Amino acid sequence: MNDDQVVAAAFERELLRIPFDQIAPLYVVSAQIKSTNKYKRIAASVAEIGLVEPLVVTRDPNNADQYTLLDGHLRLDVLQNQGATETQCIISTDDEAFTYNKRISRLATIQEHKMILRALTLGVPEERLAKALDVNIRTLQQKRRLLDGICGEAAEMLKDKQIAVTGFQILRKMKPMRQIEAAQLMVTMNKYTINYARSLLAATPDSQLVTGATPKKFKGISREQLDLMERESANLEREVRLVEDSYGIDHLDLVLARGYVAKLLNNERVMKYLGLHHEEFLPEFEKITEREVFAPLLCLTEDMSIED
């Protein structure tokens, strides 16, 4: 590998233990942030098992003894409140916080369930694990039993989705085939809320419910209306899938067609012929090649590819 092919390392090789008075945060952790469940979970985890993920800092170019905090503002505040004066840090060679703050991979509900099972298998007491996650024992046990009664196909579809534990409790009231249908609808509509799960349960025929399951009745909505909503939702799902299957090809066809028309209009002989024999086509062709007219079509096809 020559010098032109060397890739610069994103971090320094060694962790450094840095005093807090040498770390400059990018923002102050407000009282409102401290009241959030996320902050309370981090505080409980640090208190119970210590800091798992080091802070990420970058060196101040004007002062060798100072550092700018890129990632870990909540952890830093928690450590300070617990009386610590220094901590281990990863030294980033790039002075940018976008990657850390905007490209976060959230822990999905099923992934958390598997993490809990793994910890319990390794012998971690329920009480300690509950403290680390800042939840009570009952909630921890619900998370542990998350997939009880959930068929494998539905769990596979939802394995990387953010769904409340109550959502799985609602799915558990359905028979396996209906669970799969409901999971497909959630993924297709990109809706994983408890209310959406309840609406799917309410639209589920009694024959597709497990014994003893009674969906919540919605006032003013009859069974016929629920069945109609279910059919419309299924039709919408099919239409969305059809559009997903063809939008890439349609987008390419639009780009190629516009390029071809633009090339024709740049040909002087073609322009003369159209002007003499098909003058009514010229304004329409010119509209097709105008960027401001074509842009909405491209935006439409791009929007159709957005999942979230």
Side-chain angles (χ1 to χ4, degrees):
M1 180 181 291
N2 57 43
D3 294 339
D4 295 335
Q5 295 175 317
V6 174
V7 178
F11 305 97
E12 295 183 9
R13 290 182 178 273
E14 301 295 331
L15 294 176
L16 287 185
R17 182 166 287 277
I18 303 174
F20 293 153
D21 58 6
Q22 294 181 8
I23 300 176
L26 295 176
Y27 63 87
V28 176
V29 178
S30 66
Q32 182 178 3
I33 293 177
K34 292 182 180 182
S35 66
T36 61
N37 290 332
K38 178 181 178 181
Y39 182 91
K40 293 176 181 177
R41 275 197 172 190
I42 292 174
S45 175
V46 172
E48 186 65 27
I49 61 177
L51 188 67
V52 176
E53 184 179 356
L55 309 184
V56 180
V57 300
T58 186
R59 295 182 184 275
D60 188 329
N62 301 318
N63 189 337
D65 294 329
Q66 292 296 316
Y67 301 83
T68 300
L69 181 61
L70 300 179
D71 180 58
H73 287 74
L74 302 190
R75 280 167 277 156
L76 174 62
D77 189 81
V78 166
L79 289 169
Q80 289 175 324
N81 290 338
Q82 293 181 357
T85 59
E86 62 180 19
T87 188
Q88 281 192 323
C89 299
I90 299 173
I91 312 301
S92 172
T93 57
D94 290 324
D95 182 11
E96 61 92 15
F98 178 83
T99 300
Y100 310 103
N101 296 319
K102 300 299 184 183
R103 292 294 178 262
I104 300 172
S105 180
R106 303 291 183 188
L107 184 65
T109 309
I110 291 180
Q111 292 170 344
E112 183 186 30
H113 157 76
K114 292 180 178 179
M115 179 193 72
I116 291 172
L117 288 183
R118 176 64 174 167
L120 294 173
T121 301
L122 293 175
V124 179
E126 282 189 349
E127 294 78 7
R128 189 180 183 193
L129 189 57
K131 287 182 180 179
L133 297 175
D134 192 33
V135 297
N136 57 45
I137 294 294
R138 181 180 177 184
T139 300
L140 180 69
Q141 292 172 346
Q142 288 177 342
K143 291 176 180 287
R144 186 188 65 190
R145 298 191 298 267
L146 183 77
L147 297 183
D148 290 358
I150 304 295
C151 71
E153 292 84 349
E156 179 67 21
M157 292 180 197
L158 303 174
K159 65 180 181 180
D160 58 349
K161 309 303 181 185
Q162 290 279 337
I163 307 174
V165 174
T166 305
F168 286 96
Q169 293 173 351
I170 294 171
L171 288 177
R172 200 173 293 133
K173 296 180 180 181
M174 307 175 191
K175 291 184 178 179
M177 289 305 299
R178 179 56 179 169
Q179 288 181 12
I180 296 172
E181 291 177 359
Q184 287 175 336
L185 286 170
M186 287 180 171
V187 173
T188 300
M189 303 303 293
N190 195 28
K191 282 186 173 293
Y192 306 100
T193 63
I194 295 174
N195 285 337
Y196 187 63
R198 285 173 177 161
S199 68
L200 293 175
L201 178 64
T204 302
D206 293 340
S207 60
Q208 296 185 38
L209 295 175
V210 299
T211 304
T214 54
K216 179 180 178 181
K217 302 299 182 181
F218 290 88
K219 295 181 179 179
I221 302 179
S222 64
R223 166 55 62 181
E224 290 73 18
Q225 290 174 318
L226 287 173
D227 291 341
L228 178 60
M229 291 168 59
E230 176 75 3
R231 289 195 298 271
E232 291 296 329
S233 182
N235 290 335
L236 179 60
E237 177 189 0
R238 286 192 291 270
E239 291 175 5
V240 169
R241 292 191 181 279
L242 287 174
V243 172
E244 286 179 345
D245 292 340
S246 63
Y247 93 91
I249 297 174
D250 293 340
H251 189 177
L252 178 61
D253 289 343
L254 284 170
V255 173
L256 294 176
R258 177 178 179 270
Y260 179 72
V261 172
K263 188 174 182 180
L264 287 178
L265 296 184
N266 287 331
N267 187 306
E268 186 177 349
R269 294 177 62 187
V270 171
M271 287 293 289
K272 285 183 178 179
Y273 178 84
L274 290 175
L276 290 173
H277 302 285
H278 301 283
E279 186 176 0
E280 69 279 8
F281 291 165
L282 277 177
E284 300 303 322
F285 285 159
E286 289 172 351
K287 287 181 181 179
I288 292 175
T289 58
E290 289 176 1
R291 187 175 185 85
E292 58 270 21
V293 172
F294 190 67
L297 297 177
L298 293 180
C299 291
L300 177 61
T301 55
E302 289 169 359
D303 288 342
M304 287 159 56
S305 67
I306 297 175
E307 295 181 356
D308 189 3

